[in-house]
Amino acid sequence: MSRKPVIALVATGGTIAGRADSATDTTAYTAGTLGANELVAAVPGLGDIAELRAETLFRVDSKDMTPGHWLTLARRVAELAEQADVDGVVVTHGTDTLEESAFFLHLTLTTDKPVVFTAAMRPASALSADGPMNLYGAVRVAASPAFRGLGTLVVMNDRVYSARHVAKQHTRAVDAFGATDGEPLGWASPPTLARRPARTEHGDVPLAGLDTANWPPAVEILYVGAGSSPALLAACRQLGAAGAILALPGNGSMPASWMGEIEAAIAAGFPLVRASRVPAGAVSPHDGLPGLLCADGLSPVKARVALMLSLAQADPAVFVRIAG
Ligand code: ASP
């Protein structure tokens, strides 16, 4: 007789674990109130599809997540995934910065077992809370052999996304998540892989070899609007940033007024990435400025994760490998 899949569940907080005073209140609530066992108890039938090993690692609203949390979370998930009888790991998280945590784990974990993030837009106390169904779907995907070897995944609203392309795309809608390259990878009910990701960068910067002595390198994102001051870049360098991402208009278009500061930064060896404010599509490489890094299809927040890992390894090629 085949055994039930064993799924480790790591709770980190967020709205999925949030509570409000009233069932109709979906905005004034405290995130990260419930622990992992309470999340599991709210999903009827979960114990029928898997043996759950649940633990509460953090109780944070994900707006307060830091790169230090990413590291602690990645280490714990790696330990759990190494356990021979664990088939997959589910991480519950806040929606605000989920895509950054998930991408960090995607790049640093080398396990072939599915690591699946999920979250909720409505607190656990709300009418039609979305968390229980999202958690049910995440456990099914984590237990499914079809999703092995794809790195870190995200299940929201029945869809399965790769951590590379997932993004929160709406501030309040229940269907808030989408993929920057178009379609989801598949579906959670039943677990179905509709397409394989085009790239397999998961595990590109293995956690075991990561130099964390100076973690995290201070990498900032500068959002460039029409007429924004290039003094932002100079200020960023003066404040001691280790690198910066430029969230530029269009296809990573650099305003003429910024060129002097951009060239000065590159000449000084300051790691600088050309990314785009546009939510979908890739930035084309720029021939004219050797030394300027190109985010390709990475969003500014994901380019930041990649540059931080690249700086931690003191190797610009790491960024190029991840982005390109
Ligand atoms: N602020 C919350 C968080 O990111 C929002 C959510 O989870 O939906 O933790």
Side-chain angles (χ1 to χ4, degrees):
M1 198 178 79
S2 64
R3 66 174 179 86
K4 251 196 266 182
V6 176
I7 302 299
L9 186 149
V10 182
T12 71
T15 295
I16 192 167
R19 282 213 155 274
D21 289 340
S22 128
T24 52
D25 199 338
T26 54
T27 50
Y29 59 87
T30 309
T33 308
L34 305 182
N37 288 325
E38 291 163 292
L39 295 180
V40 170
V43 187
L46 202 54
D48 297 337
I49 58 167
E51 179 192 325
L52 270 291
R53 297 191 189 151
E55 62 184 60
T56 307
L57 187 63
F58 313 126
R59 288 173 186 265
V60 295
D61 185 314
S62 77
K63 68 183 171 58
D64 298 318
M65 279 275 171
T66 65
H69 289 99
W70 302 343
L71 202 54
T72 306
L73 177 60
R75 285 180 173 144
R76 184 60 190 143
V77 171
E79 276 168 13
L80 291 165
E82 269 166 25
Q83 293 174 11
D85 63 343
V86 167
D87 296 287
V89 183
V90 169
V91 176
T92 58
H93 198 286
T95 59
D96 288 350
T97 63
L98 180 149
E99 64 210 67
E100 291 158 74
S101 299
F103 193 49
F104 180 84
L105 266 67
H106 186 59
L107 295 175
T108 56
L109 297 183
T110 51
T111 180
D112 269 351
K113 296 178 184 176
V115 174
V116 185
F117 276 59
T118 195
M121 290 298 289
R122 293 180 179 150
S125 50
L127 280 178
S128 293
D130 51 329
M133 192 63 195
N134 284 344
L135 181 53
Y136 188 76
V139 169
R140 290 184 85 183
V141 169
S144 165
F147 287 93
R148 286 178 70 100
L150 301 177
T152 298
L153 303 167
V154 176
V155 167
M156 287 297 284
N157 205 26
D158 207 25
R159 294 165 176 89
V160 186
Y161 301 102
S162 161
R164 181 178 179 103
H165 291 113
V166 73
K168 185 174 182 179
Q169 297 178 335
H170 199 284
T171 54
R172 291 188 302 182
V174 176
D175 196 7
F177 282 71
T180 54
D181 65 340
E183 293 299 305
L185 291 185
W187 301 89
S189 314
T192 312
L193 182 64
R195 65 179 177 107
R196 297 189 73 80
R199 300 175 49 81
T200 53
E201 68 285 301
H202 80 87
D204 256 9
V205 193
L207 196 57
L210 187 64
D211 180 2
T212 54
N214 296 309
W215 182 262
V219 175
E220 303 302 339
I221 299 172
L222 305 179
Y223 196 98
V224 180
S228 283
S229 171
L232 277 176
L233 179 52
C236 183
R237 289 174 57 202
Q238 276 156 18
L239 286 171
I245 313 297
L246 300 176
L248 292 157
N251 186 7
S253 311
M254 295 176 283
S257 59
W258 278 67
M259 293 312 295
E261 288 299 348
I262 289 173
E263 281 164 3
I266 295 169
F270 182 74
L272 196 57
V273 176
R274 239 178 91 240
S276 176
R277 326 180 304 195
V278 181
V283 171
S284 318
H286 191 283
D287 293 336
L289 287 177
L292 180 60
L293 296 164
C294 177
D296 198 281
L298 296 178
S299 65
V301 290
K302 291 193 183 157
R304 177 172 173 260
V305 175
L307 186 60
M308 289 167 92
L309 286 168
S310 190
L311 292 174
Q313 299 302 81
D315 182 1
V318 170
F319 181 87
V320 176
R321 199 168 67 230
I322 296 168

